[in-house]
C-alpha cells in the first residue's frame, strides 16, 4: 500500500496552515496588530470614561463643599442649575442670545479684517513688516480691559462698543492662524500652479484660499471661545443687555448662583457648538486634506 500524502494544489499550503501568510502577515505580526487594536480600544474607553467621570466628580465635590459653605461663596448646584435654565430658556435668555449674536458678528469681522491684513502682507511684500512686526504686536499687547474702557468712551453703552472691543481682541488670533496657514501651504502645489499663471490674485483665491480653509476653521473655533470671555468683560462695563450685564447685576446684589449660572451657560454653549459644529467640520477638512490644521 502506498503512503497517503496531503493533496497540495499548486503552491497553496494546506488549509489552515498558511492563513496568516495568505493575509500578507506572519503570525507574530498579526498578534502584534491585534494587541495594538485591543490596546487602542481600551485607551479609547478609558478616555471616554474619564470624560464622563471627571465632570461627575467635580459636581460631587461641589455639592459636598456647598453643604457646609455659605451660599454667598459656594451656592448649591441645584440653585445654579435653576438659574442656568432661566438664562437659556426663559425670558432672561434674551441676554444670552444677545451676547451670542454680538460674538458671532465680532468673529466674522475679526476674521475678515485679520485675513485681509495677512493677504495684504502676502500680495504686497512691502507691507509685511508693517503688518507682522508693528500692527500684530500692538493689537496683541493691548489688554481686553483697556479696550473695554476705551470702547465705552468712544461708542458709549451699547452694541457698538461690545462688538468693536471683541473684534479688536480677536483680530490677532485670526491673523496668527492665517499667517501660520500661509507659511505651511503646499509648496509643490503652488509651484505647479505657477506653471499655469503668474497672477498673484489667481494664485491666492484659486490655490491658497482653499488650502487655508482648515486654518480658517481653527481661527473661527478659537475666536468663538475667546470671544465669550472678552464679550462678558465688555458687557460688564458698557452694555445695556447681555450676560456680562447679568453678571454685573448679580455681583451688585450678591447673587452668587446667578454668577455661577452665567459661567455654566457659557460653558454649555461653547461645548455644544464645539461638539455639534466645529468637530464635524474639522473632521471633514481633515479627511479632504489628509490631516488639516483644525
Amino acid at each position: 500500500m502506498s503512503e497517503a500524502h496531503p493533496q497540495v494544489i499548486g503552491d497553496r499550503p494546506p488549509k489552515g496552515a498558511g492563513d496568516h501568510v495568505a493575509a500578507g502577515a506572519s503570525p507574530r505580526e498579526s498578534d502584534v496588530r491585534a494587541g495594538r487594536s485591543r490596546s487602542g480600544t481600551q485607551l479609547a474607553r478609558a478616555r471616554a470614561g474619564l470624560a464622563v467621570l471627571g465632570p461627575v466628580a467635580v459636581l460631587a465635590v461641589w455639592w459636598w463643599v456647598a453643604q457646609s459653605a455659605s451660599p454667598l461663596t459656594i451656592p448649591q448646584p441645584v440653585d445654579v442649575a435653576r438659574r442656568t435654565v432661566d438664562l437659556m430658556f426663559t425670558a432672561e435668555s434674551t441676554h444670552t442670545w444677545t451676547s451670542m449674536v454680538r460674538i458671532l458678528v465680532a468673529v466674522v469681522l475679526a476674521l475678515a479684517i485679520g485675513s485681509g491684513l495677512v493677504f495684504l502682507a502676502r500680495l504686497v511684500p512691502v507691507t509685511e513688516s508693517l503688518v507682522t512686526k508693528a500692527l500684530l504686536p500692538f493689537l496683541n499687547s493691548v489688554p481686553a480691559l483697556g479696550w473695554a474702557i476705551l470702547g465705552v468712551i468712544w461708542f458709549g453703552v451699547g452694541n457698538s462698543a461690545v462688538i468693536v472691543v471683541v473684534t479688536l481682541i480677536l483680530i490677532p488670533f485670526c491673523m496668527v492662524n492665517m499667517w501660520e496657514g500661509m507659511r505651511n501651504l503646499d509648496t509643490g502645489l503652488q509651484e505647479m500652479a505657477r506653471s499655469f499663471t503668474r497672477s498673484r490674485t489667481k494664485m491666492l483665491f484659486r490655490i491658497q484660499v482653499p488650502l487655508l480653509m482648515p486654518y480658517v476653521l481653527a481661527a473661527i473655533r478659537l475666536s468663538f471661545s475667546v470671544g465669550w470671555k472678552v464679550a462678558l468683560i465688555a458687557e460688564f462695563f458698557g452694555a445695556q443687555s447681555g450676560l456680562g450685564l447679568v453678571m454685573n447685576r448679580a455681583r451688585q446684589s450678591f447673587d452668587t448662583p446667578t454668577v455661577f449660572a452665567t459661567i455654566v451657560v457659557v460653558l454649555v454653549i461653547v461645548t455644544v457648538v464645539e461638539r455639534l459644529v466645529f468637530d464635524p467640520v474639522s473632521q471633514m477638512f481633515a479627511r479632504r486634506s489628509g490631516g488639516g490644521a483644525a
Side-chain angles (χ1 to χ4, degrees):
M1 295 180 63
S2 59
E3 292 185 9
H5 296 280
Q7 184 180 5
V8 179
I9 301 176
D11 295 329
R12 196 174 80 178
K15 183 178 180 180
D19 290 343
H20 294 294
V21 177
S26 67
R28 181 179 295 274
E29 290 174 343
S30 297
D31 291 342
V32 171
R33 291 176 183 175
R36 288 177 179 174
S37 178
R38 287 192 298 269
S39 180
T41 302
Q42 293 172 355
L43 181 60
R45 290 176 179 175
R47 288 174 176 173
L50 285 175
V52 175
L53 292 177
V56 171
V58 171
L59 187 61
V61 172
W62 177 8
W63 176 84
W64 180 74
V65 173
Q67 302 309 306
S68 56
S70 168
L72 291 178
T73 55
I74 305 294
Q76 291 287 343
V78 174
D79 296 334
V80 174
R82 187 181 300 113
R83 292 296 295 131
T84 300
V85 172
D86 291 341
L87 290 173
M88 294 190 72
F89 301 108
T90 67
E92 289 185 270
S93 64
T94 303
H95 294 288
T96 301
W97 307 124
T98 298
S99 297
M100 180 82 155
V101 171
R102 288 169 177 162
I103 291 166
L104 292 176
V105 172
V107 169
V108 172
L109 290 175
L111 182 64
I113 296 172
S115 300
L117 291 172
V118 171
F119 290 157
L120 175 65
R122 294 288 291 190
L123 291 173
V124 186
V126 72
T127 64
E128 181 176 334
S129 294
L130 173 64
V131 172
T132 61
K133 296 183 180 180
L135 187 58
L136 178 58
F138 168 74
L139 292 174
N140 207 24
S141 61
V142 179
L145 182 59
W147 284 128
I149 295 173
L150 290 175
V152 175
I153 295 174
W154 291 340
F155 301 98
V157 177
N159 288 326
S160 298
V162 176
I163 292 174
V164 169
V165 169
V166 178
T167 300
L168 289 171
I169 295 296
L170 296 183
I171 286 175
F173 293 97
C174 296
M175 290 179 66
V176 169
N177 274 278
M178 297 302 294
W179 190 260
E180 191 64 25
M182 284 286 193
R183 292 177 56 188
N184 289 286
L185 289 177
D186 189 338
T187 55
L189 186 59
Q190 293 186 83
E191 287 294 333
M192 182 182 69
R194 288 192 187 96
S195 64
F196 293 95
T197 180
R198 293 291 177 179
S199 171
R200 286 179 175 267
T201 304
K202 288 183 179 180
M203 285 282 297
L204 177 64
F205 290 102
R206 296 188 181 183
I207 301 297
Q208 294 175 349
V209 169
L211 292 175
L212 284 172
M213 290 310 296
Y215 295 92
V216 171
L217 176 63
I220 295 174
R221 191 173 198 164
L222 180 61
S223 297
F224 181 75
S225 58
V226 174
W228 280 99
K229 303 174 185 179
V230 179
L232 263 64
I233 295 175
E235 292 171 348
F236 196 92
F237 289 95
Q240 297 176 335
S241 60
L243 282 180
L245 178 66
V246 172
M247 184 177 285
N248 192 16
R249 289 176 176 174
R251 176 192 63 84
Q252 294 172 356
S253 60
F254 298 98
D255 184 2
T256 310
T258 299
V259 174
F260 273 65
T262 56
I263 299 172
V264 174
V265 167
V266 174
L267 177 63
V268 169
I269 291 176
V270 171
T271 302
V272 169
V273 173
E274 283 275 341
R275 297 293 180 267
L276 299 184
V277 178
F278 292 134
D279 281 351
V281 177
S282 177
Q283 292 170 6
M284 180 188 70
F285 281 123
R287 286 193 299 268
R288 287 184 177 180
S289 61

